[in-house]
Amino acid sequence: MSQRFTRRQFLLASLAGAGGLLGWYLSRPQDLPQQRVKARHLSATQLEVLAMMAPSLLYPIRPDAQQLHSLLQAIDQAYGYLPASTQQELSQLLNLLHRRGSFLLLSAGVSDLSKFSIKQRIQLLNYWRFHSLALLNQAYQGLHELVMASWYGNPANWPALDYQLPEPFKSFALERSTPHAG
């Protein structure tokens, strides 16, 4: 005596299988372009997310590959100076953005970050910037301030702005100290 597979059982099994595949897909990390930066504080996946988001924050400035590399190194260095609680929050945000499922929730969209055009990334950042949820505002402000400080703090970017360090400050020697651990 053989049991027959009913239509209802077939539909339920198909739904369960599709749900399992969707869960697996959403839990996978996004396929982001690799940025080879020697980082002391941020992980490779966090730098990948920053490499995708930073040009959108700098728009209309379009950093070339070398400038983006320098920017990511500066962000990594600046990260080391942040208070431990801020480092933890930023790490959580970058890790969330790297995961497909959480990125879909944060973006209110259906695509991966790597598939977004620069215009879509700018729209996403503006969505966070003007959202009524303070957490999204904070995420935008944190990324914006970190990227802007790292970009404009680099003297190599000043000539394009026709900026020169004021005379009284030219005599100061800029020391590169190691970031405090904390």
Side-chain angles (χ1 to χ4, degrees):
M1 167 157 65
S2 69
Q3 280 189 316
R4 294 188 51 138
F5 204 53
T6 66
R7 191 167 86 187
R8 178 176 287 177
Q9 289 171 324
F10 175 75
L11 289 173
L12 287 174
S14 298
L15 220 55
L21 283 174
L22 180 64
W24 169 79
Y25 177 78
L26 291 176
S27 68
R28 291 179 41 228
Q30 296 189 58
D31 300 320
L32 301 177
Q34 294 290 328
Q35 282 293 328
R36 301 209 191 289
V37 174
K38 292 181 181 175
R40 294 178 55 195
H41 307 285
L42 295 168
S43 70
T45 57
Q46 292 169 335
L47 288 168
E48 290 171 11
V49 171
L50 285 165
M52 297 296 294
M53 298 302 278
S56 307
L57 288 161
L58 290 171
Y59 189 82
I61 298 169
R62 300 255 184 156
D64 61 28
Q66 179 58 42
Q67 289 172 319
L68 183 60
H69 186 268
S70 296
L71 175 64
L72 294 175
Q73 285 181 319
I75 290 172
D76 180 66
Q77 184 178 8
Y79 179 89
Y81 289 102
L82 297 173
S85 60
T86 305
Q87 287 180 2
Q88 184 180 11
E89 289 174 0
L90 183 60
S91 289
Q92 288 174 348
L93 174 64
L94 295 173
N95 292 336
L96 283 172
L97 290 173
H98 189 256
R99 287 268 184 234
R100 270 185 183 44
S102 52
F103 174 74
L104 292 176
L105 289 173
L106 288 172
S107 68
V110 293
S111 186
D112 294 343
L113 180 59
S114 62
K115 308 273 191 285
F116 274 31
S117 67
I118 190 140
K119 182 179 178 182
Q120 290 171 312
R121 285 186 226 136
I122 291 169
Q123 288 173 340
L124 171 65
L125 289 166
N126 281 329
Y127 172 75
W128 291 358
R129 182 180 183 188
F130 299 112
H131 200 278
S132 60
L133 188 62
L135 187 61
L136 290 178
N137 302 144
Q138 185 180 358
Y140 170 81
Q141 287 299 327
L143 285 175
H144 181 264
E145 289 178 21
L146 185 61
V147 169
M148 291 300 176
S150 298
W151 177 262
Y152 289 109
N154 183 352
N157 297 325
W158 295 351
L161 303 168
D162 199 27
Y163 175 78
Q164 294 179 8
L165 194 63
E167 283 299 322
F169 295 103
K170 288 184 180 179
S171 62
F172 289 115
L174 298 176
E175 294 181 17
R176 291 199 178 256
S177 62
T178 57
H180 69 288

